[in-house]
C-alpha cells in the first residue's frame, strides 16, 4: 500500500511539473515568437522568388517549410526546454507576473513582421540616462540575445544555401558551405553585439527604470540564468540547428 501511495504521489508530481512546463512555454511567449518567425520565413521566401530558377526556388520553399513546420518546431523546442530546465517554477512565476507579461509583450511586438519591416534600415535612436544605459548593459550581458539573434538569422539564411547545395551538388563542395556560413555567423555576432545595447533600449522602452532593474535582477539570478540557457538550447532545437 505504501508503494502504491508513493507511486501515485510521484505521478501527481510529474503531472504538475508537466503542467508548469506547458504554462512556462506559453507565458514565455514561445508560440507567439514562433508565429512571428513563420511570418519572417514567408517574407524571406518571397524575396528569393524572382532571383532563383523555379526549381531551386521550389526546393527552397519545400525545404524551409519542412524544416520549420510550426508543430514540429514547437515540439522540438518544448522537449528541449523541458529537458534542460529542471525547475520551471521561478521562471514561470516571473513571466506570469505583470512585469513578466509586459516584457514578453515588448519582445513579441519587436519581432512582428510589420515592426521588422518598419525598422529594416535601423531602429530609432533611444535617449537614455547613464543609469538606464548601465542597466541595459547588465541586461545585455545576462541575456543570450546576441546568440539568439544570430541563430534566427542564420537559420533563415541557411535554407537558401541548403537548397542550392541540394539542387546543384558540388557547387559549394569541400567544406565551402560550412566555411561561408561560419564566416557569416561571426559577422552577424559582431554586428548584433555592436548594436545590442541600443536594440534592447528600444525593445524595452516602455519599462520604467525600476522595472528594468527588476528584470536585470531576474536575468542575473541563478534561476534566470538557468532559464535563459535552457531557452537558447530550446531555440536551437526549434530551429533544427545541428552541431551546436
Amino acid at each position: 500500500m505504501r508503494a502504491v501511495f508513493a507511486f501515485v504521489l510521484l505521478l501527481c508530481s510529474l503531472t504538475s511539473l508537466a503542467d508548469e512546463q506547458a504554462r512556462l512555454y506559453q507565458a514565455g511567449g514561445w508560440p507567439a515568437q514562433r508565429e512571428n518567425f513563420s511570418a519572417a520565413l514567408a517574407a524571406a521566401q518571397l524575396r528569393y522568388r524572382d532571383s532563383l530558377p523555379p526549381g531551386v526556388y521550389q526546393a527552397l520553399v519545400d525545404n524551409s517549410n519542412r524544416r520549420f513546420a510550426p508543430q514540429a518546431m514547437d515540439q522540438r523546442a518544448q522537449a528541449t526546454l523541458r529537458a534542460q530546465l529542471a525547475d520551471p517554477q521561478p521562471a514561470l512565476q516571473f513571466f506570469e507576473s505583470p512585469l513578466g507579461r509586459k516584457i514578453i509583450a515588448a519582445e513579441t511586438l519587436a519581432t512582428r513582421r510589420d515592426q521588422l519591416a518598419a525598422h529594416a534600415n535601423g531602429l530609432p535612436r533611444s535617449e537614455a540616462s547613464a543609469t538606464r544605459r548601465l542597466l541595459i548593459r547588465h541586461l545585455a550581458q545576462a541575456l543570450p540575445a546576441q546568440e539568439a539573434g544570430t541563430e534566427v538569422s542564420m537559420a533563415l539564411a541557411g535554407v537558401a544555401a541548403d537548397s542550392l547545395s541540394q539542387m546543384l551538388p558540388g557547387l559549394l563542395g569541400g567544406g565551402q558551405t560550412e566555411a561561408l556560413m561560419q564566416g557569416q555567423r561571426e559577422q552577424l555576432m559582431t554586428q548584433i553585439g555592436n548594436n545590442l545595447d541600443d536594440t534592447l533600449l528600444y525593445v524595452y522602452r516602455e519599462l520604467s527604470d525600476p522595472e528594468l532593474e527588476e528584470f536585470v535582477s531576474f536575468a542575473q539570478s541563478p534561476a534566470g540564468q538557468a532559464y535563459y540557457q535552457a531557452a537558447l538550447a530550446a531555440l536551437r532545437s526549434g530551429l533544427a540547428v545541428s552541431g551546436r
Side-chain angles (χ1 to χ4, degrees), residues 2-244:
R2 289 180 180 176
V4 172
F5 183 65
F7 180 67
V8 171
L9 286 178
L10 176 61
L11 286 179
C12 290
S13 64
L14 289 176
T15 300
S16 176
L17 182 60
D19 290 344
E20 288 183 349
Q21 292 283 8
R23 283 170 54 196
L24 177 57
Y25 196 76
Q26 292 289 331
W30 288 83
Q33 290 289 17
R34 193 260 304 143
E35 289 179 5
N36 287 351
F37 176 83
S38 295
L41 174 64
Q45 290 173 339
L46 284 176
R47 286 196 296 271
Y48 287 110
R49 184 176 58 184
D50 297 329
S51 60
L52 292 175
V56 176
Y57 174 70
Q58 192 57 52
L60 181 150
V61 172
D62 292 343
N63 286 347
S64 56
N65 287 346
R66 181 167 52 251
R67 175 178 172 182
F68 301 123
Q71 185 176 5
M73 288 184 70
D74 281 340
Q75 289 174 345
R76 291 193 300 265
Q78 279 186 290
T80 299
L81 189 64
R82 188 178 303 114
Q84 296 283 332
L85 188 64
D87 182 9
Q89 183 58 39
L92 177 62
Q93 183 176 354
F94 179 78
F95 288 117
E96 286 189 338
S97 70
L99 174 58
R101 289 194 294 270
K102 189 173 182 178
I103 288 166
I104 296 303
E107 294 172 349
T108 303
L109 173 64
T111 57
R112 257 178 23 194
R113 183 174 177 174
D114 61 329
Q115 293 297 303
L116 295 176
H119 302 127
N121 295 322
L123 294 170
R125 179 167 177 79
S126 300
E127 299 296 332
S129 66
T131 297
R132 190 169 181 84
R133 285 194 172 273
L134 181 60
L135 287 170
I136 284 291
R137 179 88 294 266
H138 289 161
L139 188 63
Q141 292 170 340
L143 300 180
Q146 186 176 5
E147 295 86 346
T150 299
E151 294 296 4
V152 172
S153 299
M154 290 300 298
L156 292 170
V159 170
D162 291 346
S163 299
L164 285 171
S165 297
Q166 177 181 315
M167 293 295 296
L168 303 170
L171 177 65
L172 294 173
Q176 285 181 286
T177 302
E178 291 78 4
L180 287 171
M181 296 300 285
Q182 183 58 33
Q184 188 174 0
R185 178 183 295 278
E186 292 171 359
Q187 290 177 354
L188 274 169
M189 283 285 287
T190 300
Q191 180 182 350
I192 292 173
N194 289 341
N195 299 314
L196 187 56
D197 285 18
D198 287 335
T199 300
L200 297 183
L201 272 172
Y202 184 77
V203 171
Y204 301 117
R205 62 192 180 279
E206 298 299 330
L207 270 63
S208 66
D209 284 0
E211 288 174 330
L212 192 58
E213 185 173 7
E214 186 177 345
F215 185 17
V216 171
S217 295
F218 169 73
Q220 290 178 330
S221 70
Q225 285 294 290
Y227 170 76
Y228 282 114
Q229 290 307 308
L232 181 59
L235 173 67
R236 287 171 171 157
S237 293
L239 295 173
V241 177
S242 61
R244 291 187 65 79

